[in-house]
Amino acid sequence: QSVLTQPPSVSGAPGQRVTISCTGSSSNIGAGYVVHWYQQLPGTAPKLLIYGNSNRPSGVPDRFSGSKSGTSASLAITGLQAEDEADYYCLSYDSSLSGFWVFGGGTKLTVL
Amino acid sequence: QVQLVQSGSELKKPGASVKVSCKASGYTFSNYAMNWVRQAPGQGLEWMGWINTNTGNPTYAQDFTGRFVFSLDTSVSTAYLQISSLKAEDTAVYYCATRYCSGGGCYLDSWGQGTLVTVSS
């Protein structure tokens, strides 16, 4: 049970928009710590998708965007494509665990 | 560019030890802290901790104290994860990842390809 809660699964048809939430608390996201997002394609290592709540590394399409408000963060994917089917994880810092990073439980995105 | 190459898959018996390596290239090894992340079969990512590549000082997440040891060989730009007294529940893919800090905070930037450790009798 992660301290950052994500929906286990989301789905959408090609071309649609989906969002993935990452809900925390006052010891992590709500304390002002930034949120990062990772995409993990089947059988591969995670890849940085969004850093610092809403910044995209070079090479990441602008179809991916991140936001944060209060104790939650969200990842939005527009113009859904088949190759977006993957697991997505949020990552933040949690001050209640002696100052450690924590991942969300992960969300499986299915492109219908 | 930054590249992290991990050692190959391991099959170990319960009670044995394993040492996973992560060889870095394409950057100055001491510039970025090295982190370790575990992923059990079909499960999510767990941050295990990190090691300061300047001082060699390790920091372990709560669930990874005791049997897990992070170490370095800076002469060959390599980080190591050693797990002792292996249990079946240690079966997982273990990733190394560099920590990069910018205006957007600190985050895990470059990742190794992962090392599968299987513990079975």
Side-chain angles (χ1 to χ4, degrees):
Chain A
Q1 188 88 1
S2 176
V3 297
L4 300 180
T5 302
Q6 298 181 232
S9 64
V10 298
S11 62
Q16 284 190 332
R17 178 181 187 271
V18 297
T19 61
I20 298 172
S21 61
C22 175
T23 303
S25 67
S26 59
S27 66
N28 41 68
I29 299 174
Y33 298 118
V34 293
V35 179
H36 317 295
W37 290 91
Y38 293 84
Q39 177 193 60
Q40 187 177 32
L41 297 170
T44 69
K47 168 193 166 185
L48 181 67
L49 204 59
I50 298 287
Y51 68 93
N53 301 327
S54 58
N55 302 286
R56 280 186 310 277
S58 61
V60 174
D62 59 6
R63 301 186 297 105
F64 295 90
S65 62
S67 63
K68 175 189 154 183
S69 178
T71 58
S72 294
S74 290
L75 172 71
I77 310 171
T78 58
L80 207 55
Q81 300 180 3
E83 57 260 37
D84 298 333
E85 187 159 295
D87 293 322
Y88 294 83
Y89 295 90
C90 58
L91 172 69
S92 188
Y93 183 91
D94 189 289
S95 60
S96 72
L97 296 174
S98 303
F100 292 147
W101 275 342
V102 287
F103 283 99
T107 299
K108 169 68 177 177
L109 168 63
T110 300
V111 181
L112 302 171
Chain B
Q1 76 281 17
V2 174
Q3 190 171 16
L4 302 176
V5 178
Q6 297 184 227
S7 49
S9 298
E10 300 268 9
L11 173 60
K12 295 291 184 179
K13 293 189 184 302
S17 294
V18 69
K19 194 170 186 177
V20 176
S21 67
C22 170
K23 183 170 176 59
S25 62
Y27 71 100
T28 300
F29 186 65
S30 59
N31 280 359
Y32 304 120
M34 191 65 76
N35 290 252
W36 290 92
V37 175
R38 182 173 79 176
Q39 187 169 37
Q43 302 301 307
L45 303 172
E46 294 178 89
W47 183 75
M48 300 174 64
W50 66 286
I51 184 165
N52 185 315
T53 50
N54 279 298
T55 65
N57 183 50
T59 299
Y60 302 97
Q62 275 188 343
D63 289 343
F64 297 97
T65 57
R67 298 186 299 114
F68 300 85
V69 176
F70 307 147
S71 61
L72 304 171
D73 184 343
T74 56
S75 68
V76 289
S77 301
T78 300
Y80 301 94
L81 163 65
Q82 183 161 0
I83 311 170
S84 59
S85 302
L86 282 164
K87 307 174 184 181
E89 51 263 42
D90 293 324
T91 295
V93 175
Y94 292 85
Y95 294 101
C96 59
T98 56
R99 183 189 71 185
Y100 184 78
C101 298
S102 70
C106 295
Y107 46 88
L108 302 178
D109 188 17
S110 299
W111 293 65
Q113 83 276 20
T115 296
L116 173 62
V117 174
T118 303
V119 183
S120 174
S121 54

